[in-house]
Amino acid sequence: MNIFWHRLRMVLAMVKIEHSVFALPFAYSGAFLAAGGWPGWRVFLLLTLAMVMVRSFAMAMNRILDLRYDRLNPRTQSRQLVTGELSVRFTSFFALGTALVFVLACAGLNTLCLLLAVPALLWSAAYSLTKRFTWLCHFFLGSVLGLAPVAGWIAVDPQFALPAVLLFFGVLFWVAGFDIFYAAQDVEFDRSHGLHSVPAAFGLETAFALAGFSHVQAALFFLLAGLAASLGWVYLLAWAIVAAVLFWEHRLISPRDLSRLNMSFFTLNGVVAALLFFGVLLDLAF
């Protein structure tokens, strides 16, 4: 039993389950907007299961595909596959299992979700490979998480509606912006090992400017999504707070001071996702 709980803790640490706070609220936002309120327990539970499974699959694949780099990077040498706490064999079976459960959850939602299940899995697994050939990898990662509001919408209403598409682009630019910040930690490592990122390609000053541009775009798309969904003052208030949080994020860190990067990356970005969801939820309620 102790071995089981230890293995479970290692798996949760590997997939960084706490980072589900980034994508899951956007999936819920899409579902609630499509339903005009509560989407029902069946959709809610299957959507939650699907989101947790696809994210766990993506993280497991990321750890497998990046293992040779993680062994060399001092920042990542405590990861579970590097230390041997989890094996590549176990992680591969774990990824296969989460992929299967994801497909089954999609099948339980509707036909469109099922048809898109395998392409979504392939797309989510490909991020690790993009770092090998393009600095646009941050935007590719953004597109992966941007699927969350679209998935939430089509789980309820199997069509690509304008509010969901606008949220997709909002999430894409939001994630790209904070992932550029995150990549600032690995500039020298990326350059010396042939990996691509905006900071490695253009330097920190340009990278931070691009991150700022991305977050301005994110704020605009979040606003347009609310207007397209005919949301009112409650959502607009939540949006204004989110815009202020994004602005504050850029005041916390600079190319010369990355000491508060973890606060910017996790705490503030978790607040962004939660605030927008509660803005949607409360606006629909009122």
mmCIF file of all heavy atoms in Angstrom, residues 98-127:
data_model
loop_
_atom_site.group_PDB
_atom_site.id
_atom_site.type_symbol
_atom_site.label_atom_id
_atom_site.label_comp_id
_atom_site.label_asym_id
_atom_site.label_seq_id
_atom_site.Cartn_x
_atom_site.Cartn_y
_atom_site.Cartn_z
ATOM 1 N N THR A 98 -3.976 6.969 -20.019
ATOM 2 C CA THR A 98 -4.685 8.255 -19.987
ATOM 3 C C THR A 98 -5.263 8.585 -21.357
ATOM 4 O O THR A 98 -6.359 9.148 -21.454
ATOM 5 C CB THR A 98 -3.760 9.382 -19.517
ATOM 6 O OG1 THR A 98 -2.572 9.398 -20.329
ATOM 7 C CG2 THR A 98 -3.368 9.206 -18.060
ATOM 8 N N ALA A 99 -4.550 8.216 -22.422
ATOM 9 C CA ALA A 99 -5.064 8.456 -23.765
ATOM 10 C C ALA A 99 -6.340 7.658 -24.007
ATOM 11 O O ALA A 99 -7.319 8.158 -24.585
ATOM 12 C CB ALA A 99 -4.007 8.085 -24.806
ATOM 13 N N LEU A 100 -6.357 6.402 -23.555
ATOM 14 C CA LEU A 100 -7.529 5.556 -23.732
ATOM 15 C C LEU A 100 -8.729 6.106 -22.966
ATOM 16 O O LEU A 100 -9.842 6.189 -23.509
ATOM 17 C CB LEU A 100 -7.216 4.130 -23.264
ATOM 18 C CG LEU A 100 -8.368 3.126 -23.349
ATOM 19 C CD1 LEU A 100 -8.869 2.988 -24.784
ATOM 20 C CD2 LEU A 100 -7.937 1.775 -22.796
ATOM 21 N N VAL A 101 -8.509 6.509 -21.722
ATOM 22 C CA VAL A 101 -9.609 7.063 -20.922
ATOM 23 C C VAL A 101 -10.109 8.358 -21.550
ATOM 24 O O VAL A 101 -11.315 8.633 -21.577
ATOM 25 C CB VAL A 101 -9.157 7.292 -19.466
ATOM 26 C CG1 VAL A 101 -10.262 7.993 -18.669
ATOM 27 C CG2 VAL A 101 -8.793 5.966 -18.807
ATOM 28 N N PHE A 102 -9.190 9.164 -22.083
ATOM 29 C CA PHE A 102 -9.590 10.404 -22.755
ATOM 30 C C PHE A 102 -10.506 10.116 -23.935
ATOM 31 O O PHE A 102 -11.549 10.764 -24.101
ATOM 32 C CB PHE A 102 -8.343 11.148 -23.226
ATOM 33 C CG PHE A 102 -8.634 12.337 -24.096
ATOM 34 C CD1 PHE A 102 -9.216 13.484 -23.574
ATOM 35 C CD2 PHE A 102 -8.334 12.319 -25.460
ATOM 36 C CE1 PHE A 102 -9.490 14.589 -24.376
ATOM 37 C CE2 PHE A 102 -8.604 13.409 -26.270
ATOM 38 C CZ PHE A 102 -9.183 14.543 -25.728
ATOM 39 N N VAL A 103 -10.139 9.162 -24.760
ATOM 40 C CA VAL A 103 -10.968 8.822 -25.928
ATOM 41 C C VAL A 103 -12.342 8.322 -25.481
ATOM 42 O O VAL A 103 -13.377 8.697 -26.061
ATOM 43 C CB VAL A 103 -10.259 7.765 -26.799
ATOM 44 C CG1 VAL A 103 -11.191 7.255 -27.896
ATOM 45 C CG2 VAL A 103 -8.990 8.354 -27.422
ATOM 46 N N LEU A 104 -12.384 7.504 -24.434
ATOM 47 C CA LEU A 104 -13.661 7.006 -23.924
ATOM 48 C C LEU A 104 -14.522 8.136 -23.381
ATOM 49 O O LEU A 104 -15.748 8.155 -23.580
ATOM 50 C CB LEU A 104 -13.414 5.950 -22.844
ATOM 51 C CG LEU A 104 -12.794 4.631 -23.330
ATOM 52 C CD1 LEU A 104 -12.473 3.727 -22.153
ATOM 53 C CD2 LEU A 104 -13.722 3.928 -24.319
ATOM 54 N N ALA A 105 -13.892 9.089 -22.682
ATOM 55 C CA ALA A 105 -14.650 10.236 -22.164
ATOM 56 C C ALA A 105 -15.213 11.056 -23.313
ATOM 57 O O ALA A 105 -16.372 11.514 -23.256
ATOM 58 C CB ALA A 105 -13.755 11.095 -21.275
ATOM 59 N N CYS A 106 -14.415 11.262 -24.358
ATOM 60 C CA CYS A 106 -14.895 11.995 -25.532
ATOM 61 C C CYS A 106 -16.060 11.262 -26.203
ATOM 62 O O CYS A 106 -17.025 11.892 -26.646
ATOM 63 C CB CYS A 106 -13.754 12.193 -26.524
ATOM 64 S SG CYS A 106 -12.493 13.351 -25.982
ATOM 65 N N ALA A 107 -15.967 9.942 -26.272
ATOM 66 C CA ALA A 107 -17.048 9.150 -26.855
ATOM 67 C C ALA A 107 -18.328 9.317 -26.060
ATOM 68 O O ALA A 107 -19.438 9.293 -26.623
ATOM 69 C CB ALA A 107 -16.642 7.680 -26.910
ATOM 70 N N GLY A 108 -18.195 9.484 -24.751
ATOM 71 C CA GLY A 108 -19.374 9.677 -23.907
ATOM 72 C C GLY A 108 -20.006 11.037 -24.051
ATOM 73 O O GLY A 108 -21.156 11.240 -23.623
ATOM 74 N N LEU A 109 -19.277 11.976 -24.655
ATOM 75 C CA LEU A 109 -19.814 13.333 -24.815
ATOM 76 C C LEU A 109 -20.633 13.447 -26.104
ATOM 77 O O LEU A 109 -21.843 13.620 -26.061
ATOM 78 C CB LEU A 109 -18.663 14.348 -24.802
ATOM 79 C CG LEU A 109 -18.050 14.592 -23.419
ATOM 80 C CD1 LEU A 109 -16.721 15.316 -23.524
ATOM 81 C CD2 LEU A 109 -19.017 15.374 -22.527
ATOM 82 N N ASN A 110 -19.984 13.349 -27.253
ATOM 83 C CA ASN A 110 -20.717 13.372 -28.528
ATOM 84 C C ASN A 110 -19.778 12.946 -29.662
ATOM 85 O O ASN A 110 -18.570 12.767 -29.454
ATOM 86 C CB ASN A 110 -21.343 14.745 -28.811
ATOM 87 C CG ASN A 110 -20.324 15.880 -28.794
ATOM 88 O OD1 ASN A 110 -19.338 15.847 -29.532
ATOM 89 N ND2 ASN A 110 -20.553 16.875 -27.944
ATOM 90 N N THR A 111 -20.325 12.802 -30.838
ATOM 91 C CA THR A 111 -19.569 12.281 -31.980
ATOM 92 C C THR A 111 -18.421 13.194 -32.382
ATOM 93 O O THR A 111 -17.322 12.723 -32.708
ATOM 94 C CB THR A 111 -20.503 12.071 -33.189
ATOM 95 O OG1 THR A 111 -21.552 11.172 -32.819
ATOM 96 C CG2 THR A 111 -19.743 11.487 -34.369
ATOM 97 N N LEU A 112 -18.651 14.516 -32.373
ATOM 98 C CA LEU A 112 -17.588 15.442 -32.760
ATOM 99 C C LEU A 112 -16.408 15.347 -31.796
ATOM 100 O O LEU A 112 -15.244 15.344 -32.225
ATOM 101 C CB LEU A 112 -18.122 16.874 -32.817
ATOM 102 C CG LEU A 112 -17.092 17.934 -33.246
ATOM 103 C CD1 LEU A 112 -16.531 17.623 -34.632
ATOM 104 C CD2 LEU A 112 -17.718 19.340 -33.217
ATOM 105 N N CYS A 113 -16.693 15.270 -30.511
ATOM 106 C CA CYS A 113 -15.628 15.119 -29.522
ATOM 107 C C CYS A 113 -14.827 13.845 -29.785
ATOM 108 O O CYS A 113 -13.593 13.848 -29.708
ATOM 109 C CB CYS A 113 -16.205 15.085 -28.109
ATOM 110 S SG CYS A 113 -16.827 16.679 -27.533
ATOM 111 N N LEU A 114 -15.515 12.767 -30.121
ATOM 112 C CA LEU A 114 -14.833 11.503 -30.399
ATOM 113 C C LEU A 114 -13.955 11.619 -31.644
ATOM 114 O O LEU A 114 -12.811 11.154 -31.663
ATOM 115 C CB LEU A 114 -15.848 10.380 -30.568
ATOM 116 C CG LEU A 114 -15.284 9.009 -30.948
ATOM 117 C CD1 LEU A 114 -14.292 8.514 -29.896
ATOM 118 C CD2 LEU A 114 -16.407 7.996 -31.142
ATOM 119 N N LEU A 115 -14.474 12.248 -32.703
ATOM 120 C CA LEU A 115 -13.716 12.391 -33.940
ATOM 121 C C LEU A 115 -12.444 13.222 -33.748
ATOM 122 O O LEU A 115 -11.430 12.999 -34.405
ATOM 123 C CB LEU A 115 -14.586 13.032 -35.026
ATOM 124 C CG LEU A 115 -15.735 12.174 -35.569
ATOM 125 C CD1 LEU A 115 -16.599 12.993 -36.519
ATOM 126 C CD2 LEU A 115 -15.179 10.940 -36.284
ATOM 127 N N LEU A 116 -12.511 14.170 -32.813
ATOM 128 C CA LEU A 116 -11.371 15.062 -32.585
ATOM 129 C C LEU A 116 -10.425 14.554 -31.503
ATOM 130 O O LEU A 116 -9.385 15.170 -31.260
ATOM 131 C CB LEU A 116 -11.874 16.458 -32.202
ATOM 132 C CG LEU A 116 -12.661 17.208 -33.283
ATOM 133 C CD1 LEU A 116 -13.200 18.519 -32.730
ATOM 134 C CD2 LEU A 116 -11.789 17.460 -34.509
ATOM 135 N N ALA A 117 -10.762 13.442 -30.868
ATOM 136 C CA ALA A 117 -9.986 12.960 -29.729
ATOM 137 C C ALA A 117 -8.542 12.632 -30.097
ATOM 138 O O ALA A 117 -7.600 13.107 -29.455
ATOM 139 C CB ALA A 117 -10.670 11.743 -29.103
ATOM 140 N N VAL A 118 -8.347 11.819 -31.129
ATOM 141 C CA VAL A 118 -6.987 11.426 -31.505
ATOM 142 C C VAL A 118 -6.179 12.615 -32.031
ATOM 143 O O VAL A 118 -5.011 12.799 -31.621
ATOM 144 C CB VAL A 118 -7.010 10.267 -32.522
ATOM 145 C CG1 VAL A 118 -5.607 9.993 -33.057
ATOM 146 C CG2 VAL A 118 -7.581 9.015 -31.862
ATOM 147 N N PRO A 119 -6.733 13.471 -32.914
ATOM 148 C CA PRO A 119 -5.973 14.674 -33.304
ATOM 149 C C PRO A 119 -5.584 15.541 -32.101
ATOM 150 O O PRO A 119 -4.483 16.091 -32.068
ATOM 151 C CB PRO A 119 -6.942 15.416 -34.231
ATOM 152 C CG PRO A 119 -7.782 14.335 -34.828
ATOM 153 C CD PRO A 119 -7.972 13.339 -33.722
ATOM 154 N N ALA A 120 -6.472 15.637 -31.113
ATOM 155 C CA ALA A 120 -6.155 16.429 -29.917
ATOM 156 C C ALA A 120 -4.994 15.814 -29.144
ATOM 157 O O ALA A 120 -4.111 16.520 -28.652
ATOM 158 C CB ALA A 120 -7.385 16.550 -29.025
ATOM 159 N N LEU A 121 -4.970 14.495 -29.047
ATOM 160 C CA LEU A 121 -3.867 13.807 -28.368
ATOM 161 C C LEU A 121 -2.545 14.053 -29.099
ATOM 162 O O LEU A 121 -1.524 14.365 -28.467
ATOM 163 C CB LEU A 121 -4.147 12.309 -28.281
ATOM 164 C CG LEU A 121 -5.221 11.869 -27.280
ATOM 165 C CD1 LEU A 121 -5.567 10.401 -27.498
ATOM 166 C CD2 LEU A 121 -4.755 12.094 -25.842
ATOM 167 N N LEU A 122 -2.557 13.916 -30.409
ATOM 168 C CA LEU A 122 -1.336 14.120 -31.187
ATOM 169 C C LEU A 122 -0.840 15.558 -31.072
ATOM 170 O O LEU A 122 0.367 15.802 -30.927
ATOM 171 C CB LEU A 122 -1.577 13.760 -32.649
ATOM 172 C CG LEU A 122 -1.900 12.290 -32.930
ATOM 173 C CD1 LEU A 122 -2.244 12.090 -34.401
ATOM 174 C CD2 LEU A 122 -0.722 11.396 -32.534
ATOM 175 N N TRP A 123 -1.771 16.495 -31.115
ATOM 176 C CA TRP A 123 -1.417 17.915 -31.004
ATOM 177 C C TRP A 123 -0.800 18.223 -29.639
ATOM 178 O O TRP A 123 0.212 18.918 -29.544
ATOM 179 C CB TRP A 123 -2.659 18.774 -31.234
ATOM 180 C CG TRP A 123 -2.378 20.222 -31.484
ATOM 181 C CD1 TRP A 123 -2.542 21.261 -30.620
ATOM 182 C CD2 TRP A 123 -1.900 20.798 -32.704
ATOM 183 N NE1 TRP A 123 -2.201 22.450 -31.208
ATOM 184 C CE2 TRP A 123 -1.802 22.190 -32.497
ATOM 185 C CE3 TRP A 123 -1.549 20.262 -33.946
ATOM 186 C CZ2 TRP A 123 -1.356 23.071 -33.485
ATOM 187 C CZ3 TRP A 123 -1.107 21.135 -34.940
ATOM 188 C CH2 TRP A 123 -1.016 22.521 -34.705
ATOM 189 N N SER A 124 -1.394 17.658 -28.593
ATOM 190 C CA SER A 124 -0.904 17.941 -27.241
ATOM 191 C C SER A 124 0.464 17.314 -26.982
ATOM 192 O O SER A 124 1.250 17.826 -26.176
ATOM 193 C CB SER A 124 -1.912 17.436 -26.204
ATOM 194 O OG SER A 124 -1.977 16.017 -26.191
ATOM 195 N N ALA A 125 0.771 16.233 -27.663
ATOM 196 C CA ALA A 125 2.058 15.557 -27.464
ATOM 197 C C ALA A 125 3.176 16.197 -28.265
ATOM 198 O O ALA A 125 4.357 15.988 -27.971
ATOM 199 C CB ALA A 125 1.941 14.089 -27.836
ATOM 200 N N ALA A 126 2.822 16.989 -29.271
ATOM 201 C CA ALA A 126 3.826 17.493 -30.216
ATOM 202 C C ALA A 126 4.613 18.683 -29.686
ATOM 203 O O ALA A 126 5.670 19.017 -30.244
ATOM 204 C CB ALA A 126 3.150 17.876 -31.534
ATOM 205 N N TYR A 127 4.146 19.308 -28.606
ATOM 206 C CA TYR A 127 4.816 20.525 -28.125
ATOM 207 C C TYR A 127 6.306 20.311 -27.872
ATOM 208 O O TYR A 127 7.135 21.132 -28.267
ATOM 209 C CB TYR A 127 4.143 21.034 -26.848
ATOM 210 C CG TYR A 127 5.027 21.965 -26.053
ATOM 211 C CD1 TYR A 127 5.359 23.227 -26.562
ATOM 212 C CD2 TYR A 127 5.562 21.583 -24.824
ATOM 213 C CE1 TYR A 127 6.195 24.078 -25.857
ATOM 214 C CE2 TYR A 127 6.392 22.428 -24.112
ATOM 215 C CZ TYR A 127 6.714 23.670 -24.631
ATOM 216 O OH TYR A 127 7.536 24.512 -23.930
#
